[in-house]
Amino acid sequence: MEEKMRFIDLRSDTVTIPTAEMRIAMANAAVGDDVYREDPTVNKLEEKAAMLLGKERALFVSSGTMGNLLAILVTCKAGDEVIMGNQGHTFLHEVGGMSALGGIFPNTLPNQPDGTLDLAMVARAIRGEDIHEPRTRMVIIENTQNQCGGVPISLTYMQQLSQLARENELFLHVDGARIFNAAAALQCSAKDLVQTADSVTFCLSKGLCAPVGSVLCGPQDFIEEARRFRKMLGGGMRQVGILAAAGIIALDNMVERLSEDHRRATVLAEQLSQIPGFSLSKGKPQSNMVFLQVDHTVYPDLAVIAEQLKKESILIGFSGPDEIRIVTHYWVSDLDVQHVVRVWQNLQP
Ligand code: TLP
């Protein structure tokens, strides 16, 4: 019997638990010491990930945060600068790791509503050879861009940003925590989306349902260096094929179905935004996230909404003082969506 989730948990896709198939694969995984590079299941996952993303090599890491941090630590020295969005996860939600652990400097530019960074602003932000200034080494772009609404960043933009980065000898890293959602939304392959980037981190443990782990993909020498930094950070794990086994199922069986989550997010957005007091703050969903602006005059206290929903087994997240974030995933079914809409229609201010 497959374990089910106790709540309709819409707080994030990070809350997903592994499928029954994953648990069986985990129990039966062939393992070895991955610090010796002897875990066959990790090796298989890394080869599969590198091929799928079109990069030379890949490295299994504990989290998206670690993947992004390794990319930065490998590329930059202390005092170097990274251009990134001010709504990017790397800037907002990675505990300032790049500065705390690497002495590396974020130069944030405003994310535009479509999640991109204005290319002219990026060009202007790149430093010259002035002895007073830090060196710009790197640009990070997030795809899908979470805080801007879970928006996918187009192939054309990715190519333009990459060209700008190349012309200025900058390393382009993609925080592709949800790159497969972006690819599903844009109806292209994840490989095409990151083809012009130097490196990418993607997460196995969000919409793809694996319990733990992300993968950093990039050039061979870059990944070799990332492996050293991973060890330095205490992230050299041993018989970790137990986890990689779930990651392999995630890549084999969970990618194709992501558009179902997108469809359910669209249904939720359409239905909930018709209820007085709620509107779509970041437009119609393009992937698995719905952002709802709450009218303060109707619902002065968001905690009251969360409490009523929780009583009906529904959990929601908040992304601002008056904003609710809802994320769909494997464990949210069509029936769950109907239940959420029914309960929401009966909320009391
Ligand atoms: N995002 C989480 C929270 O940390 C906000 C969420 O619920 O959305 N990049 C992006 C774009 C992310 O959204 C996240 C997680 C990460 C990186 C970090 O991944 P983990 O949690 O594996 O370190």
Side-chain angles (χ1 to χ4, degrees):
M1 250 288 275
E2 184 156 65
E3 186 193 347
K4 296 275 188 311
M5 290 185 62
R6 278 180 37 242
F7 288 91
I8 302 171
D9 195 340
L10 303 169
R11 290 172 300 166
S12 182
D13 46 12
T14 60
V15 301
T16 48
I17 59 174
T19 62
E21 191 186 10
M22 286 178 180
R23 288 177 190 266
I24 293 167
M26 292 169 79
N28 295 315
V31 293
D33 191 325
D34 183 48
V35 174
Y36 296 165
R37 307 186 186 210
E38 287 172 5
D39 189 305
T41 311
V42 173
N43 293 342
K44 185 173 166 193
L45 171 67
E46 291 179 347
E47 274 164 36
K48 195 182 263 293
M51 219 173 63
L52 212 58
L53 275 297
K55 300 295 171 211
E56 276 176 13
R57 290 285 189 276
L59 186 70
F60 185 51
V61 295
S62 61
S63 65
T65 301
M66 183 182 269
N68 291 334
L69 177 62
L70 292 179
I72 298 170
L73 291 176
V74 170
T75 310
C76 303
K77 293 199 303 283
D80 288 346
E81 192 173 75
V82 185
I83 295 173
M84 61 181 70
N86 66 355
Q87 296 304 307
H89 194 274
T90 320
F91 178 63
L92 291 177
H93 292 134
E94 297 186 3
V95 207
M98 56 186 286
S99 304
L101 304 173
I104 299 151
F105 213 61
N107 184 353
T108 53
L109 301 179
N111 283 100
Q112 302 181 104
D114 68 357
T116 62
L117 304 175
D118 179 75
L119 292 170
M121 285 182 84
V122 175
R124 276 199 302 278
I126 300 169
R127 312 278 195 161
E129 281 305 311
D130 189 325
I131 197 171
H132 298 88
E133 297 183 2
R135 288 207 171 98
T136 313
R137 288 276 182 220
M138 186 174 190
V139 187
I140 299 180
I141 189 86
E142 187 175 308
N143 199 2
T144 59
Q145 215 299 341
N146 184 340
Q147 284 299 311
C148 292
V151 284
I153 310 280
S154 74
L155 191 56
T156 310
Y157 178 85
M158 294 297 287
Q159 288 164 344
Q160 288 166 342
L161 182 63
S162 142
Q163 194 185 338
L164 181 61
R166 252 163 248 290
E167 282 165 7
N168 291 279
E169 293 176 28
L170 301 185
F171 190 93
L172 176 60
H173 174 69
V174 181
D175 176 358
R178 298 182 182 84
I179 196 71
F180 292 106
N181 292 86
L186 297 167
Q187 297 186 342
C188 65
S189 72
K191 187 176 184 168
D192 287 347
L193 265 186
V194 301
Q195 199 212 337
T196 53
D198 295 292
S199 65
V200 54
T201 304
F202 72 85
C203 294
L204 297 161
S205 62
K206 299 193 167 64
L208 301 186
C209 265
V212 182
S214 297
V215 184
L216 175 64
C217 306
Q220 183 171 356
D221 52 347
F222 165 90
I223 293 294
E224 277 309 308
E225 206 50 25
R227 193 179 282 277
R228 284 185 69 82
F229 276 110
R230 184 186 70 173
K231 188 77 182 79
M232 188 192 286
L233 296 173
M237 296 181 282
R238 304 294 179 169
Q239 288 70 30
V240 69
I242 297 279
L243 299 180
I248 290 171
I249 307 280
L251 289 181
D252 284 347
N253 297 347
M254 304 301 282
V255 171
E256 286 298 311
R257 58 155 306 286
L258 288 174
S259 49
E260 285 181 37
D261 300 337
H262 299 186
R263 178 178 57 76
R264 293 191 179 107
T266 298
V267 173
L268 278 170
E270 280 168 2
Q271 300 286 322
L272 301 184
S273 63
Q274 286 175 28
I275 299 171
F278 301 97
S279 57
L280 297 175
S281 49
K282 292 179 179 158
K284 291 183 183 166
Q286 295 181 53
S287 67
N288 64 335
M289 295 184 182
V290 184
F291 288 78
L292 290 169
Q293 187 71 37
V294 183
D295 183 344
H296 225 75
T297 57
V298 186
Y299 293 96
D301 188 356
L302 265 62
V304 172
I305 300 176
E307 225 14 74
Q308 291 179 60
L309 293 172
K310 192 170 177 187
K311 282 196 187 117
E312 298 288 342
S313 303
I314 301 161
L315 302 181
I316 53 165
F318 299 103
S319 47
D322 295 323
E323 193 175 55
I324 290 171
R325 187 186 74 161
I326 284 173
V327 186
T328 53
H329 51 73
Y330 178 79
W331 296 101
V332 180
S333 67
D334 286 330
L335 274 180
D336 293 336
V337 167
Q338 286 173 22
H339 176 69
V340 171
V341 173
R342 249 193 331 269
V343 172
W344 213 290
Q345 282 165 339
N346 291 311
L347 284 177
Q348 303 301 318

